[in-house]
Amino acid sequence: MINKFKLSVVLIAILGLLQITCKKPNTGLTFSIRSDVMKYTAMVSFVDPTTGNAPANVTMSITGPDASLIYEISGKKNFYVLGGQIALGLDPNNSPTASAPKKFNIIASAPGYLSVNVPVTMNESIKQQQLTVNLVNISNPPPGVTIIHKNLALVNGQLPAAVSFATDTTNGKVDSMTLKLPVGLKFLDSSGNQLLGSSVSVQMVHFDNRTQSSLDCFPGGGNPVSNSVVDASGNSTSKYFTTLGFSDISMTVGGNVVRKFSDSITMTMNINDTTNDINTGSPIQAGSLLSVYSYRVETGVWQYENMRAVTSSGSGLIVTHSTNHLTTYNFAYTTDICPNPQSITITYPALGSNKVTGILNIGVLPAGDNGVFRTYPSIKIPITNQSFPYTVSLGNLPTGQVSIAASLFNRIGSNSANDLCSTPATVNISGGAFTFVTASIVGKCRYDSSKVVSPSFYVDYRLHGSNAQYQLLGFVSNGQFSTPLVTVGKTYDLRATFAGQQIDTFATVTNTVNSISVDMSSTSFCQQ
Amino acid sequence: MKKLFTSICIGSFCAFIAFNANAQNNSNNNQTTIASPKPGATGGATADPSQANTGLYNVPIYKRPLTVSASLGTNGIGVSARLGLSPHWRLSLGYNYTPINYTTTFSISSLQTSMDINIHLNNIHLFGEWRPFTSTAFRLVGGIAYFMDSKMNINVTPTNNYYYGLIPLTPATIGKLYANLDYSGIAPYFGFGIFKGQPAPGKFAVNMDFGTYVLSSPRSTITGTNLFADPQVDTKQLDKNIAGWRWLPIVQVNVSYRIKMGSSKSK
């Protein structure tokens, strides 16, 4: 009997060993991967500066030295502009370095608008950037911009008489551009062949330097700095332009584009006499020398043409330039660019230790540029889960003494008299404490509960029910977001750009701390 | 005898010790009924009447049969010392080290990966062995072990490009995923052994053990680099899922040597 009992104990023990069962490790398990595959991105918004709305049917392409590395944010080469926006990203296998930033150009156009060529640089220290590209409506230009159209009869392909015409000075516009065409002028294509037709169609656009909307249309996306400049010695270099005004002149004969002339044409531009001569720091006056640069949208290159002296006339200060080819012309002071710019540190005591998401604007002006009629030309940096002080290294800074301004969450700080080529600078943004609203966002797939993503995306916002243009709220990284720009109790329209799609929704902010679950079943993330 | 066993009682092992005392009594009661030795008897299930020689155990503890063993098995390499307490009971104290490195493949969606599994287990253990049938070398084994710095590290490395849209993401760009399971802690053991565990003095014997440790529930941590950085894994669910991954099955071969202190053969 006792042996049977012992045998039972043994058998039970052995059977116990066979009862080893394990659950699959992934049962009910959610695993969130990073969705910010592209570390360097740019949110590009196309805007009609007259209305603030996005132009219809914007088309764009990417050119430039690193164009092959640029993708739409979903990783594809379909550069479709949706609602006036597109998010671009850099091939994550080819990140920029301090010595080798990545450069490309955005060529954009829309029916009834002037085409633009916007150079973009992705620096090592700035992973996200916001670009606003202003497109000028030819029929309804913004303040500070005037357009004149002329249709001139030709005889045997030549002008039968000298012609002179100027842009308007109506609607508060002070400065204008005058174009003079000599008698017998022949119109040539880029190869020097005469274009024959019964008439020549002329379009001349003048941009003054008195209005921000005009300066925002400066060739290259409103950025006064260009890295594609051919100087007086024929060398490729970078320049900071303090423009006194610029023009875009185009002509066609029989539908063919005019590039050259058989004789010189003359353009005369009125000068804003309250602009400082950056060499003296005093208002410009007769005798001041301006550089004339030409520019073609197709290449995005500024070409040095000549130096011209400002003169006095009955209508004030003017500058005159003669040329035998057509393009955009810019009358400007130029400043060299720092070869090794120093860092800028932004302090913001009101943020405390909060890690915030928003759009940081940093602008730098040469000290002699009084900037009376405009805001600082700035770079817009979407900062994400960033604590302050925040130090950033900007490229393309002008040499010499500069003024620096920084703004975030509708507050501005500034600092003057810095030489950023040799000395780091600090800008303090002061003000009282904020109330922050934070959100933790998780995207889920309806048909695959194991797939979870903490999404990274650009998000625009506006008050729900308003017709205001969406404003970029920031770049949400890995689903984490904290901002003082929204208020508890209010409802907002939200527009997220994720994986090449725009998702519109609206939400009421009910708490300062929020957990949000988003159904992403329709996105490529869930469908992969 | 009973007093000694009680004094070394540790945790759940007490039950075995208490039973041991009874078994010892039973054995003593039955010792006159055990048959005489059979010529040519060996280990395993073969009877060995020398078990009835309780004279081996009627001596001070330090003179009782002492065997040292080296082992190799699924729990790595180890050494142990086994002390015969009675014809039915033995006590062993040992150390095992398990170094396992294993590479396999694993796929996440269309991403192929190489998964390096690195297991390091260290334990010291105290086992009791009960021989229910004095006529055979079969024994039931139970006890407890303490696993020190015992971890399973799993490194997941992509081996092919993963396409994000049209962009081929290289393994270097994708990054690596590291999972770590910590098994350190106290672990009960139960199993059985066969073949002669206690050879004659000055002799060697080979025997085997089969059983399992019941490890502490593993605690997981997961980290990563690049695209795997800051993986937000529901580690509570993962810990729950792998809670059953506590069984460490043991198949082990032991080579034992009986130190010359006693004078009789036993199993």
Side-chain angles (χ1 to χ4, degrees):
Chain A
M1 186 65 186
I2 189 71
N3 283 341
K4 283 185 178 178
F5 170 73
K6 290 177 180 176
L7 185 60
S8 299
V9 171
V10 171
L11 289 174
I12 289 169
I14 292 172
L15 286 172
L17 291 180
L18 300 177
Q19 293 302 307
I20 299 171
T21 56
C22 292
K23 208 172 185 178
K24 285 186 176 180
N26 60 348
T27 302
L29 185 68
T30 58
F31 183 90
S32 171
I33 61 170
R34 295 185 74 95
S35 63
D36 53 344
V37 173
M38 293 179 170
K39 302 301 180 190
Y40 291 85
T41 66
M43 185 65 180
V44 186
S45 299
F46 298 94
V47 176
D48 178 340
T50 306
T51 63
N53 297 326
N57 302 317
V58 176
T59 58
M60 62 160 286
S61 60
I62 301 293
T63 64
D66 296 310
S68 64
L69 303 178
I70 303 302
Y71 294 81
E72 195 275 330
I73 199 74
S74 64
K76 298 175 181 173
K77 286 282 188 180
N78 303 325
F79 298 108
Y80 298 134
V81 178
L82 300 173
Q85 291 184 316
I86 186 170
L88 304 175
L90 177 67
D91 182 343
N93 299 302
N94 291 275
S95 295
T97 63
S99 60
K102 302 301 181 187
K103 298 179 179 180
F104 62 97
N105 295 64
I106 299 171
I107 310 285
S109 62
Y113 288 80
L114 294 179
S115 298
V116 295
N117 182 335
V118 180
V120 182
T121 300
M122 288 184 163
N123 292 309
E124 183 185 32
S125 65
I126 301 175
K127 294 191 172 181
Q128 279 86 41
Q129 54 185 301
Q130 182 202 6
L131 300 170
T132 300
V133 177
N134 289 285
L135 296 175
V136 174
N137 187 336
I138 295 169
S139 304
N140 186 22
V145 181
T146 47
I147 300 178
I148 185 170
H149 294 94
K150 289 287 182 182
N151 200 42
L152 307 173
L154 301 179
V155 177
N156 298 325
Q158 302 178 26
L159 269 182
V163 176
S164 176
F165 51 90
T167 58
D168 291 339
T169 54
T170 55
N171 296 326
K173 191 161 184 295
V174 176
D175 307 313
S176 66
M177 169 77 90
T178 301
L179 186 64
K180 292 180 180 176
L181 307 178
V183 63
L185 184 67
K186 297 176 184 176
F187 302 88
L188 315 177
D189 64 14
S190 58
S191 301
N193 302 313
Q194 184 181 3
L195 297 172
L196 297 175
S198 59
S199 64
V200 58
S201 177
V202 181
Q203 174 180 282
M204 182 166 68
V205 187
H206 176 247
F207 302 79
D208 69 19
N209 78 341
R210 296 177 187 262
T211 50
Q212 186 63 45
S213 58
S214 173
L215 290 169
D216 285 344
C217 299
F218 187 76
N223 189 343
V225 176
S226 175
N227 300 125
S228 300
V229 178
V230 178
D231 66 14
S233 303
N235 298 321
S236 293
T237 185
S238 298
K239 293 286 185 184
Y240 182 102
F241 292 105
T242 301
T243 186
L244 278 294
F246 51 101
S247 66
D248 181 279
I249 304 171
S250 59
M251 299 183 189
T252 57
V253 174
N256 296 306
V257 176
V258 176
R259 291 296 183 197
K260 298 178 182 176
F261 304 103
S262 60
D263 199 356
S264 293
I265 64 172
T266 301
M267 59 190 80
T268 300
M269 192 173 71
N270 289 94
I271 296 298
N272 171 11
D273 58 11
T274 60
T275 306
N276 273 358
D277 180 335
I278 66 167
N279 300 307
T280 64
S282 301
I284 193 170
Q285 53 190 313
S288 294
L289 291 175
L290 296 178
S291 296
V292 182
Y293 279 82
S294 63
Y295 174 88
R296 285 184 61 183
V297 169
E298 294 85 346
T299 62
V301 175
W302 287 103
Q303 172 72 51
Y304 175 82
E305 293 283 329
N306 217 323
M307 291 290 288
R308 295 294 178 190
V310 175
T311 60
S312 292
S313 74
S315 58
L317 297 178
I318 61 170
V319 61
T320 299
H321 177 66
S322 295
T323 184
N324 62 358
H325 64 100
L326 266 192
T327 186
T328 294
Y329 287 93
N330 175 26
F331 300 83
Y333 293 110
T334 61
T335 307
D336 290 337
I337 300 299
C338 287
N340 297 300
Q342 300 297 302
S343 62
I344 300 171
T345 297
I346 314 296
T347 60
Y348 206 144
L351 299 181
S353 59
N354 288 284
K355 291 185 175 181
V356 299
T357 295
I359 310 300
L360 174 64
N361 290 269
I362 302 178
V364 178
L365 274 181
D369 186 338
N370 55 352
V372 170
F373 299 101
R374 56 177 168 166
T375 60
Y376 284 69
S378 66
I379 180 169
K380 297 178 175 64
I381 306 171
I383 55 170
T384 301
N385 301 329
Q386 182 66 54
S387 58
F388 281 72
Y390 171 59
T391 299
V392 62
S393 294
L394 301 177
N396 293 328
L397 298 177
T399 55
Q401 294 290 303
V402 296
S403 298
I404 310 166
S407 70
L408 176 65
F409 303 140
N410 303 319
R411 294 180 184 175
I412 300 174
S414 62
N415 190 356
S416 59
N418 296 276
D419 184 350
L420 277 172
C421 296
S422 60
T423 309
T426 298
V427 177
N428 180 60
I429 303 176
S430 59
F434 289 109
T435 298
F436 289 93
V437 171
T438 65
S440 184
I441 304 167
V442 173
K444 296 184 176 177
C445 306
R446 210 175 305 146
Y447 306 110
D448 186 353
S449 60
S450 68
K451 221 169 182 180
V452 175
V453 65
S454 296
S456 298
F457 57 93
Y458 286 95
V459 61
D460 298 90
Y461 81 120
R462 68 182 180 191
L463 272 175
H464 182 55
S466 76
N467 289 321
Q469 287 301 299
Y470 279 98
Q471 299 294 315
L472 186 59
L473 190 55
F475 180 77
V476 179
S477 178
N478 263 8
Q480 301 302 311
F481 192 79
S482 179
T483 180
L485 293 180
V486 297
T487 306
V488 173
K490 291 188 176 180
T491 302
Y492 296 91
D493 293 329
L494 301 171
R495 171 172 288 173
T497 302
F498 178 83
Q501 292 175 273
Q502 281 189 337
I503 302 169
D504 288 344
T505 185
F506 66 93
T508 300
V509 181
T510 55
N511 298 295
T512 54
V513 178
N514 303 273
S515 294
I516 302 171
S517 178
V518 180
D519 183 355
M520 303 185 73
S521 302
S522 64
T523 69
S524 57
F525 169 75
C526 290
Q527 293 165 359
Q528 279 182 338
Chain B
M1 179 69 75
K2 185 175 181 181
K3 187 177 180 182
L4 169 71
F5 295 153
T6 305
S7 67
I8 61 171
C9 171
I10 300 172
S12 60
F13 191 51
C14 288
F16 289 100
I17 301 300
F19 195 28
N20 174 49
N22 295 331
Q24 178 65 56
N25 292 337
N26 290 340
S27 176
N28 289 337
N29 293 338
N30 296 334
Q31 69 180 56
T32 55
T33 64
I34 294 175
S36 299
K38 294 179 180 176
T42 59
T46 308
D48 185 348
S50 66
Q51 299 305 315
N53 187 358
T54 56
L56 275 174
Y57 306 100
N58 291 327
V59 295
I61 190 81
Y62 58 87
K63 290 186 177 180
R64 296 185 191 182
L66 180 64
T67 305
V68 292
S69 300
S71 61
L72 178 67
T74 55
N75 60 336
I77 55 176
V79 292
S80 64
R82 179 185 285 116
L83 182 66
L85 301 176
S86 75
H88 288 278
W89 284 93
R90 295 171 190 150
L91 194 65
S92 72
L93 178 67
Y95 168 79
N96 272 89
Y97 173 61
T98 310
I100 298 176
N101 294 308
Y102 176 64
T103 299
T104 185
T105 58
F106 180 64
S107 63
I108 305 170
S109 191
S110 60
L111 178 65
Q112 300 296 318
T113 70
S114 169
M115 187 159 64
D116 296 322
I117 301 172
N118 185 278
I119 302 173
H120 285 276
L121 302 175
N122 293 280
N123 78 68
I124 54 173
H125 53 260
L126 182 65
F127 294 163
E129 297 180 359
W130 174 50
R131 299 175 60 247
F133 312 109
T134 55
S135 58
T136 71
F138 179 82
R139 61 194 186 280
L140 288 177
V141 183
I144 200 161
Y146 180 68
F147 281 77
M148 306 155 289
D149 189 28
S150 296
K151 293 176 180 176
M152 177 191 294
N153 296 314
I154 303 171
N155 298 344
V156 180
T157 306
T159 55
N160 66 336
N161 287 347
Y162 181 80
Y163 278 83
Y164 177 77
L166 299 174
I167 305 172
L169 302 177
T170 64
T173 301
I174 297 167
K176 294 184 177 182
L177 186 69
Y178 305 104
N180 177 278
L181 305 181
D182 189 349
Y183 285 98
S184 298
I186 293 174
Y189 173 87
F190 60 91
F192 63 92
I194 58 173
F195 304 133
K196 184 181 289 184
Q198 187 170 281
K203 301 292 184 184
F204 286 91
V206 176
N207 56 81
M208 294 186 72
D209 276 286
F210 302 87
T212 185
Y213 286 102
V214 185
L215 302 172
S216 301
S217 293
R219 298 164 296 280
S220 64
T221 56
I222 296 181
T223 58
T225 62
N226 298 355
L227 297 181
F228 286 132
D230 305 323
Q232 294 177 19
V233 182
D234 184 353
T235 51
K236 284 184 181 174
Q237 180 65 42
L238 179 61
D239 287 348
K240 189 176 169 184
N241 291 349
I242 62 177
W245 292 29
R246 306 170 54 184
W247 304 87
L248 177 60
I250 301 299
V251 176
Q252 178 175 285
V253 177
N254 311 300
V255 177
S256 302
Y257 174 75
R258 168 97 170 263
I259 296 172
K260 288 182 178 180
M261 286 193 297
S263 58
S264 298
K265 294 177 182 177
S266 63
K267 292 177 181 177

